[in-house]
Amino acid sequence: SAPASAKGKPRLLLMGQRRSGKSSISSVVFHKLPPHETLFLESTARIQKDSMASFMDFQVWDFPGQIDILENPDFDMEAIFGQVGALIWVIDAQDDYLEAVARLNATILALQGNYPLINIEVFIHKVDGLSDDYKLDIQRDITIRIQDELSDHGCENAPVTFHLTSIYNHSIFEGFSKVIQKLIPRLGTLESMLTNLCRTCRFEKAYLFDVLSKIYIATDSSPADMASYEICSDYIDVIIDITEVYGTWHRSEDGRKKLEGAPWGVKLEDQVGCATAESCLVLHDSRKPIMLREVDRYLALVAIMKEDSYDKMPLVNMNVDAVVEGLTEFFNITRRKG
Ligand code: GDP
């Protein structure tokens, strides 16, 4: 059963057939493996519980595709699905997917009985190298095959969502972001906080990131686009690389205490002193400043500012301080309830 630390917190399950890409996905997203190195990964040979140093404490259970959990009496369904928030089912889009779709259908139908609230998130995966038209054709075909089967069984309302993903670009992170956002209670409140911040500070776009995975937990109400997400997520890498970018203005002792922990990919035992990361750079090509502020040991706020807003930094900082405080409060309350 689940470790005590994960009790009551949303859990992600990653499933799919052998070689569909499960180990690669968890290695790239949660362990920063460069995508090309997944070529040499051992295929998943057993159930792997993978505990993440992430703010939601979610786990990826990497199931081997060849074991049919639904028919195997050794599997304790309650232990596996009892606390699951979302089931991510990986389908290899570069391979014949009929068998994968059939197994997925059987799994969804089996879950509908006892666990109808689990979000089923289908990752139509390895879509790099496929043309846009072909991608959409495949998505349409898979969607129809699943919807038809579900409505034949009177389950057309099962919460099934489709994502086109690849580990070779940001689409896998985008996919996870959408999955995670559905699991956050009161996401709307979080989004309004960011929307208000964008308005008062004249930001173009703001993202709240889980630093470890670079999955975004929330963003403001203006449309999320891949380009701004990529800029902000690459910026986190820049800041992790430039380890000497620490606070440039005074932080209260209290604020420092809140940030105890090891957020920047540094092991706890390796970390010295306080790592309150905050920074602002002007992007070279677009002349737009971009700012990053740590919220707690797992989360960071990253925003793209408008071109002329650099000279308003003191005001921006004041507003960002207030929002960081609000976010801390938000997650304290959410955790206490959870
Ligand atoms: P698992 O058995 O489901 O854990 O699958 P693996 O993670 O071992 O992946 C099987 C193969 O698929 C590996 O050679 C990966 O490099 C490859 N792979 C995984 N994700 C992608 C992707 O997004 N695009 C492409 N082209 N190959 C991928």
Side-chain angles (χ1 to χ4, degrees), residues 246-256 276 278 293 317 321:
Y246 287 154
T248 48
W249 50 86
H250 179 76
R251 307 286 294 174
S252 67
E253 196 54 35
D254 209 35
R256 281 160 199 263
T276 305
E278 36 195 23
R293 178 72 66 86
N317 281 325
D321 279 345

Side-chain angles (χ1 to χ4, degrees), residues 106-296:
T107 308
I108 300 173
L109 290 174
L111 287 178
Q112 281 304 291
N114 291 322
Y115 308 98
L117 296 180
I118 296 177
N119 293 332
I120 315 280
E121 309 281 359
V122 183
F123 281 12
I124 300 171
H125 189 58
K126 307 193 193 177
V127 293
D128 49 280
L130 305 184
S131 76
D132 284 348
D133 280 352
Y134 190 62
K135 275 187 232 178
L136 293 179
D137 280 351
I138 287 188
Q139 176 165 7
R140 201 171 305 125
D141 186 52
I142 292 178
T143 308
I144 289 171
R145 286 174 191 279
I146 291 170
Q147 298 302 358
D148 281 357
E149 180 78 6
L150 292 182
S151 51
D152 283 354
H153 291 82
C155 293
E156 53 277 335
N157 293 325
V160 187
T161 314
F162 299 88
H163 312 263
L164 293 166
T165 58
S166 162
I167 53 169
Y168 287 99
N169 55 47
H170 285 83
S171 61
I172 191 67
F173 297 93
E174 184 81 22
F176 267 102
S177 296
K178 298 208 165 118
V179 169
I180 286 297
Q181 285 176 32
K182 286 194 210 161
L183 300 179
I184 296 182
R186 304 190 303 129
L187 180 68
T189 311
L190 213 49
E191 287 172 345
S192 343
M193 286 166 86
L194 297 178
T195 304
N196 285 334
L197 180 70
C198 285
R199 196 177 310 131
T200 49
C201 294
R202 308 201 337 108
F203 288 163
E204 273 192 11
K205 192 81 197 137
Y207 290 97
L208 183 63
F209 274 94
D210 180 49
V211 174
L212 172 100
S213 60
K214 291 197 285 167
I215 289 168
Y216 72 91
I217 311 296
T219 184
D220 63 285
S221 63
S222 72
D225 63 306
M226 208 66 144
S228 68
Y229 169 74
E230 283 175 26
I231 290 171
C232 292
S233 116
D234 290 347
Y235 191 67
I236 292 180
D237 284 339
V238 171
I239 299 304
I240 291 172
D241 289 346
I242 310 173
T243 45
E244 59 269 54
V245 178
Y246 287 154
T248 48
W249 50 86
H250 179 76
R251 307 286 294 174
S252 67
E253 196 54 35
D254 209 35
R256 281 160 199 263
K257 279 191 192 132
K258 268 195 300 207
L259 294 168
E260 105 285 29
W264 304 106
V266 183
K267 284 203 215 87
L268 255 181
E269 60 268 26
D270 296 342
Q271 206 186 25
V272 279
C274 161
T276 305
E278 36 195 23
S279 75
C280 186
L281 281 189
V282 179
L283 292 182
H284 205 62
D285 43 356
S286 65
R287 308 180 50 82
K288 284 173 192 160
I290 175 164
M291 62 124 299
L292 177 147
R293 178 72 66 86
E294 224 178 322
V295 175
D296 64 16

Side-chain angles (χ1 to χ4, degrees), residues 19-24 38-39 43-44 125-126 128 166-167:
R19 309 291 296 159
S20 60
K22 301 179 298 298
S23 315
S24 307
T38 62
L39 291 168
S43 191
T44 319
H125 189 58
K126 307 193 193 177
D128 49 280
S166 162
I167 53 169

